[in-house]
Amino acid sequence: MGVPQTMEALRERADFIKESLQKSQIITDNMAAILGSFDHRLSALETAMRPTQIRTHSIRRAHENIDKTLKAAEVILSQFDLTRKAEAKILRGPHEDLESYLEAIDQLRSNVKFFSSNKSFKSSDGVLNHANQLLAKAISKLEEEFRQLLTNYSKPVEPDRLFECLPNSLRPSSSGSPRKHGDDNSKSPTEHQGKSLENAVYTLPTLIPPRVIPLLHDLAQQMAQAGHQQQLFRIYRDTRASVLEQSVRKLGVERLSKDDVQKMQWEVLEAKIGNWIHYMRIAVKLLFAGEKKLCDQILDGVDSLRDQCFAEVTVNSVSVLLSFGEAIAKSKRSPEKLFVLLDMYEIMRELHSEIELLFGSKACIEMRDSALSLTKRLAQTAQETFCDFEEAVEKDATKTAVLDGTVHPLTSYVINYVKFLFDYQSTLKQLFQEFDASDPDSQLTSVTTRIMQALQNNLDGKSKQYKDPALTQLFLMNNIHYIVRSVRRSEAKDLLGDDWVQIHRRIVQQHANQYKRVSWAKILQCLSVQGGGSGSGGGIGGDGSASGISRAAVKDRFKTFNVQFEELHQRQSQWTVPDSELRESLRLAVAEILLPAYRSFQKRFGPMIENGKNPQKYIRYSPEDLDHMMNEFFEGKTWNEQKRSKIYKTRCSVQITEDLAEGKGKVAGLGGCVAVNGKDNLSCGVLESAHS
């Protein structure tokens, strides 16, 4: 197809489109005219309907206003009805039905709020005044009801009930009183009962029946909501504080001053301290804990009063308990008080966490600080008493002499004291750390060592009271041996160590050796050939002499030996070695040096006497006799109690009879001493004991 033809076709189409657009415009114009006529008609119709619409809207609004008014009137009437019903319940009082009474108060409070927000009513002021007066009257009755309920159901807790709440290990003995300090079952809780007490179950006493507590709680809530917090506080404080104080008094707690404590006999005071320790545990773990729980239950939701109420309820009872501890801590120190001070310190440490928990609020800070102060004061007094004890041991100047050389009372007292201290190891270590951060084990070792050394120093001084040096050595031997034996059998051995024990065992042996040297050296010299006379030993000569030692010299030796041995027997049978093992060991040690020397001397020189006249006069004892008599050494017998062997008494009687027959002596009175050759015979007690 050519270009002309194409152009012609395009022109025809353009003309067609133009014609179509013209027709569409005509149609649009016609529709606009029609719609314009409709708009005019609708405007006319609207104008005609407007009066009818206005009347209909007015009628609808009138109906709505009537409905609202009826509903408001219904609400007001219901409030009046509720007020009337609440008033009836309130006038009847809370005694018949406390729960309904509390509901009525809540309703009345709601009514007051309603009329306060709808003061446009003509009668709202009158209704409000009446409701408020009724509400005040209701709260007043409620306050009285709270007081009566709390008073009627608050009774002191009897001691027996409290004891039943304790773990079995802490309950009083069958006599009805707490176990006293020093009883087997009441030693240091920290050492002997610590583990069991950690898991011990304490049952809080029932201070108020559980069924009453919700009622008291609701009453307290109502009083607080009514703005009567102060009245609530006073009623609760006065009632519960009085009852708690009575419970504490029934236990036996009393307020004592330092002067009161100072005037008491030790036995009475010790019993009171033992009771106080028991009562502190009961008060904190049962009474105060019970009061805290009760206060939290009744005053739950009244946080502004709860802590203050608990503080005011307990303050006097806490003060009475702590005042006794303060009086003890401030009283004059003495060694016997150390253990009760440690017991008191222990209980305060044991109760520390619970005191912190119970009295943790700001309102209780004074009581919490007082308890902490008492703990520190007890620790300080105990430490000072400890130091006093060490000094007192060193400087003890008692003139009580143990005449028989046995263990001195001071020694047994100090050792028992130290042994008992080891029942308080944990407590002592805690106490040391109150004042010194260094290792408590080394501190305890140092203190124990110093006490032992102080005791030894004092014993050295006391040993100088003896005029007999042998008795001095025996006294020191006995006492050091007692110390070593006691340490070896106690926990002190682990603390002082094996070296300390070995050193002091050697000291015991040194004193035993010194005793043998001082006591027996002189008598052993009698049995020595070189002990006297001239010349050297040898056979018996025809002239009756033995190598330069004359028969007279031998007789003198035997006589001297007899006198000295009898003197030793008389004195040392009155001395005492209380430890049987040590006693036998010492006897054996003496026998091992005496008997061989005596046998040798008797065997060598005895024939010189036996062949002469009256040999019994000089050779009074056989070695067996001596051994038998030495078994009576260190028995602590008095002179009149000494039992001589039959042989010894017979030979003494023979000797005395012979001397009298020869006219060499005279009786200085019945039962008196016999003088032989003008010299006192040291066996003179035989006749006296025989005739008495």
Side-chain angles (χ1 to χ4, degrees), residues 279-290 351 354-355 358:
Y279 300 154
M280 273 297 298
R281 187 180 285 113
I282 290 175
V284 172
K285 290 183 175 288
L286 299 181
L287 287 175
F288 297 158
L351 299 175
E354 281 156 292
I355 290 173
L358 289 173

Side-chain angles (χ1 to χ4, degrees), residues 397-430:
T398 54
K399 299 300 182 181
T400 304
V402 284
L403 300 178
D404 58 354
T406 189
V407 176
H408 196 279
L410 177 67
T411 304
S412 56
Y413 175 76
V414 171
I415 292 301
N416 287 333
Y417 199 94
V418 171
K419 285 166 66 177
F420 201 40
L421 278 175
F422 277 87
D423 288 333
Y424 293 84
Q425 281 194 69
S426 297
T427 306
L428 286 169
K429 291 172 185 177
Q430 283 181 339

Side-chain angles (χ1 to χ4, degrees), residues 70-348:
L70 288 174
K71 288 180 179 179
E74 185 179 351
V75 170
I76 293 170
L77 289 173
S78 67
Q79 290 294 326
F80 275 110
D81 185 53
L82 291 172
T83 302
R84 180 182 58 79
K85 291 179 180 179
E87 181 177 7
K89 291 180 181 179
I90 287 169
L91 291 176
R92 283 198 299 269
H95 303 293
E96 295 181 6
D97 188 348
L98 180 59
E99 187 174 353
S100 296
Y101 188 86
L102 295 175
E103 290 175 356
I105 290 177
D106 284 335
Q107 183 59 59
L108 194 60
R109 200 174 273 125
S110 175
N111 293 344
V112 168
K113 184 178 181 182
F114 172 80
F115 286 112
S116 296
S117 61
N118 293 280
K119 289 190 175 182
S120 58
F121 301 132
K122 291 182 180 180
S123 58
S124 63
D125 290 340
V127 172
L128 275 173
N129 289 336
H130 178 70
N132 282 324
Q133 290 174 3
L134 191 60
L135 191 58
K137 187 175 182 179
I139 296 300
S140 177
K141 288 186 177 182
L142 203 63
E143 183 178 313
E144 185 58 32
E145 182 69 11
F146 181 79
R147 178 184 286 106
Q148 287 188 5
L149 267 179
L150 190 63
T151 302
N152 290 341
Y153 288 102
S154 292
K155 303 296 180 186
V157 186
E158 295 297 327
D160 288 345
R161 281 182 54 206
L162 289 171
F163 297 154
E164 290 172 359
C165 297
L166 293 170
N168 289 332
S169 61
L170 292 175
R171 290 183 185 179
S173 58
S174 58
S175 63
S177 59
R179 295 185 178 98
K180 295 181 180 179
H181 170 78
D183 290 351
D184 290 341
N185 296 327
S186 65
K187 287 186 179 179
S188 162
T190 303
E191 302 297 329
H192 302 287
Q193 298 175 338
K195 293 183 179 179
S196 62
L197 288 180
E198 287 177 4
N199 303 317
V201 177
Y202 293 82
T203 307
L204 292 183
T206 301
L207 303 180
I208 287 180
R211 61 183 177 81
V212 181
I213 291 177
L215 298 177
L216 289 168
H217 169 261
D218 293 341
L219 289 169
Q221 290 285 90
Q222 293 289 352
M223 291 174 67
Q225 289 178 23
H228 288 221
Q229 287 95 337
Q230 287 306 309
Q231 292 92 321
L232 172 62
F233 170 75
R234 284 195 298 271
I235 293 170
Y236 191 91
R237 176 198 63 192
D238 295 346
T239 304
R240 288 307 309 167
S242 174
V243 169
L244 177 60
E245 288 166 28
Q246 291 179 60
S247 298
V248 171
R249 276 198 302 273
K250 281 177 174 287
L251 269 177
V253 177
E254 54 186 327
R255 188 184 292 274
L256 294 174
S257 67
K258 183 177 73 171
D259 291 338
D260 295 331
V261 167
Q262 207 63 51
K263 293 174 185 176
M264 285 185 187
Q265 293 183 350
W266 169 242
E267 293 76 10
V268 175
L269 183 59
E270 186 181 26
K272 285 187 178 294
I273 292 172
N275 289 340
W276 179 85
I277 292 167
H278 197 58
Y279 300 154
M280 273 297 298
R281 187 180 285 113
I282 290 175
V284 172
K285 290 183 175 288
L286 299 181
L287 287 175
F288 297 158
E291 286 293 342
K292 177 68 173 173
K293 180 181 178 182
L294 182 66
C295 192
D296 289 346
Q297 288 175 326
I298 293 177
L299 300 179
D300 182 33
V302 193
D303 296 340
S304 59
L305 289 183
R306 188 171 55 192
D307 293 337
Q308 188 64 36
C309 271
F310 175 70
E312 292 289 331
V313 165
T314 54
V315 63
N316 286 341
S317 297
V318 170
S319 175
V320 170
L321 280 162
L322 297 185
S323 69
F324 178 81
E326 287 286 347
I328 297 297
K330 293 177 181 177
S331 63
K332 185 178 179 181
R333 299 192 300 270
S334 60
E336 66 270 12
K337 284 185 182 177
L338 177 59
F339 299 111
V340 294
L341 285 168
L342 291 175
D343 285 335
M344 294 171 75
Y345 175 72
E346 275 181 357
I347 192 63
M348 293 305 296

Side-chain angles (χ1 to χ4, degrees), residues 35 150 166 352 399 431-432 434 527 532 571 576:
L35 290 172
L150 190 63
L166 293 170
H352 174 74
K399 299 300 182 181
L431 187 145
F432 292 145
E434 294 272 1
L527 304 177
R571 281 188 287 116
T576 301

Side-chain angles (χ1 to χ4, degrees), residues 25 61-62 105 118 155 159 166 184 190 199 224 322 325 356 371 414 454 466 488 556 580 622 627 651 676 689:
Q25 182 63 43
R61 287 186 63 186
I105 290 177
N118 293 280
K155 303 296 180 186
L166 293 170
D184 290 341
T190 303
N199 303 317
L322 297 185
E356 289 287 313
V414 171
Y466 298 106
R488 290 179 63 195
D556 188 60
S580 59
S622 67
D627 188 39
R651 292 192 174 181
V676 180
S689 61

Side-chain angles (χ1 to χ4, degrees), residues 579-639:
D579 184 81
S580 59
E581 186 177 343
L582 180 61
R583 183 169 61 246
E584 290 304 319
S585 175
L586 194 60
R587 287 171 179 170
L588 181 60
V590 173
E592 284 177 347
I593 59 173
L594 178 67
L595 296 182
Y598 185 76
R599 284 193 183 97
S600 176
F601 187 84
Q602 189 183 50
K603 181 179 180 181
R604 186 172 184 183
F605 299 106
M608 295 174 62
I609 306 300
E610 290 169 356
N611 294 332
K613 187 178 181 182
N614 298 324
Q616 305 93 320
K617 179 179 177 180
Y618 305 102
I619 306 177
R620 294 183 181 178
Y621 308 109
S622 67
E624 291 73 20
D625 295 336
L626 296 179
D627 188 39
H628 177 77
M629 292 173 68
M630 287 179 62
N631 286 332
E632 296 179 350
F633 278 43
F634 318 127
E635 291 288 352
K637 298 176 181 178
T638 63
W639 174 241

